[in-house]
Amino acid sequence: MKKILNWVLAATLICGACVLSSCKQANAKEDNPAQKVVSTELIRTSQSWDGVELPDYLQGRPELVAVKYVFPAGQKLGWHHHPVMNYGILVQGELTIIGQDGKEKTVHEGEAVVEMVNTIHHGENRGTKDVILYMFYLSQKDLPLAVQHPEIPLE
């Protein structure tokens, strides 16, 4: 089961990389039919961005979910946590993720990020342009991708 889920994770990472390069490769194909596919590993880790080890895989049938998020400039997301593993690729702008302990990580255009699991955090677009972020969740049917914490006020 673990080998299958590792394969699924690797395949999802490759799909995420395709999101970043598909338009460029399509144009390159038209210009040069002999163009080769280029593969660039963006991230390989067993830890979330804050250095905490990821949990073991869930038991049972996996459900893979891909979501495109667009965060307007100046937008703050509310406090939340993810009950499932997830990671993403930021394709435009800069997104700052803040843990409840005050630890911060700013993700820049073209970078991959592995989110915290079961740890409360929020995100902010402190930049001047919209953030576009593709997230990939390793979930199961009927599990929420995020649990909101409206009882915790944003500063």
Side-chain angles (χ1 to χ4, degrees), residues 53-115:
E53 289 293 319
L54 292 171
D56 290 337
Y57 285 115
L58 300 170
Q59 296 296 315
R61 181 170 305 282
E63 181 176 69
L64 305 179
V65 183
V67 180
K68 176 184 176 183
Y69 293 98
V70 178
F71 303 109
Q75 180 70 40
K76 290 184 179 184
L77 303 172
W79 291 99
H80 62 280
H81 77 273
H82 303 283
V84 298
M85 286 185 278
N86 64 93
Y87 60 96
I89 301 168
L90 195 130
V91 297
Q92 179 179 294
E94 291 184 353
L95 180 66
T96 302
I97 306 166
I98 302 102
Q100 203 170 16
D101 62 0
K103 195 176 205 178
E104 291 188 9
K105 164 79 174 171
T106 299
V107 185
H108 304 277
E109 198 166 294
E111 291 182 344
V113 62
V114 177
E115 274 275 35

Side-chain angles (χ1 to χ4, degrees), residues 2 7 10-11 17 22 24 38 62 69-70 92 111-112 123 126-127 143:
K2 192 169 184 177
W7 181 85
S22 62
K24 289 181 184 174
V38 176
Y69 293 98
V70 178
Q92 179 179 294
E111 291 182 344
R126 297 175 179 168
L143 277 180

Side-chain angles (χ1 to χ4, degrees), residues 44-57:
R44 181 185 297 249
T45 185
S46 297
Q47 299 177 342
S48 56
W49 66 263
D50 62 340
V52 174
E53 289 293 319
L54 292 171
D56 290 337
Y57 285 115

